[in-house]
Amino acid sequence: VDYGMGNTGSVKNALAFLGAEAVVSGNPEDLHRATHLILPGVGAFGDGMKNLADSGLIRILEEEVQVRKKPILGICLGMQLFADIGEEGGIHKGLGWISGRTRRFQIDEKKFRLPHIGWNDVEIRTGSTLFEGATPAVFYFVHSYLIEPSDSSAVVATCDYGEVFSAAVEKE
């Protein structure tokens, strides 16, 4: 999903490396034809929601994901936008697909630098569809905010960086 906030080129290249065909688009017809969606994101929560609203994509995504139940993967800011609200630069309404909030790390910044940048081990919870068949993983992070679901069962992978945080969430 191209809404002007994502690292769409990197995501498309990664999918091509894996042998998957991908179309980068913000066109409603392309999103309707897609079998799966990816919402990448780099930037601030409020800006991400503004870009989705300004491009008319919130309504399209609601239809495709909430009504038609099309699978969607949110990466970085894309995942954070799934929350009810985001607290970055004020309080902003999110997509509301994962009950909870996106908030700043609550850590000792004398010991742990923000943004959190680098490779870290991620603990994957058993039973996750997203990580089915995956072995313990290492992911690269660049963020100062995290998604905090109201229902902890939505958390399918965690990482520890001064506090244990949700590295991945899953619903339905």
Side-chain angles (χ1 to χ4, degrees):
V1 178
D2 185 3
Y3 64 111
M5 296 292 293
N7 46 354
T8 54
S10 297
V11 173
K12 185 174 182 180
N13 289 340
L15 290 168
F17 176 78
L18 295 170
E21 184 181 330
V23 174
V24 176
S25 179
N27 180 313
E29 288 304 314
D30 290 335
L31 301 182
H32 180 68
R33 280 192 299 270
T35 60
H36 295 72
L37 299 171
I38 298 176
L39 185 65
V42 175
F45 193 100
D47 293 337
M49 287 304 299
K50 181 180 184 322
N51 283 17
L52 283 173
D54 289 351
S55 63
L57 289 172
I58 293 176
R59 183 185 59 77
I60 303 301
L61 290 174
E62 286 286 334
E63 172 70 21
E64 295 301 320
V65 175
Q66 297 299 103
V67 177
R68 294 192 172 141
K69 302 298 183 189
K70 187 172 288 184
I72 187 168
L73 173 67
I75 301 173
C76 197
L77 174 63
M79 176 182 72
Q80 294 175 0
L81 295 176
F82 291 173
D84 293 321
I85 61 166
E87 300 175 358
E88 186 174 6
I91 302 297
H92 305 279
K93 184 178 186 285
L95 293 168
W97 299 342
I98 298 285
S99 181
R101 65 187 178 138
T102 294
R103 65 160 174 85
R104 186 173 170 87
F105 271 94
Q106 297 171 350
I107 57 175
D108 181 349
E109 292 187 46
K110 291 178 183 165
K111 293 181 182 176
F112 296 92
R113 218 177 229 182
L114 288 180
H116 166 213
I117 300 174
W119 293 96
N120 292 102
D121 291 328
V122 171
E123 185 174 325
I124 299 169
R125 294 191 181 165
T126 57
S128 163
T129 301
L130 180 63
F131 294 105
E132 188 175 315
T135 56
V138 177
F139 286 83
Y140 190 78
F141 293 91
V142 180
H143 64 133
S144 298
Y145 288 78
L146 57 94
I147 187 169
E148 184 179 62
S150 300
D151 179 0
S152 63
S153 70
V155 179
V156 294
T158 58
C159 183
D160 190 342
Y161 186 75
E163 70 173 306
V164 175
F165 68 92
S166 304
V169 294
E170 183 175 283
K171 181 177 177 182
E172 299 173 10

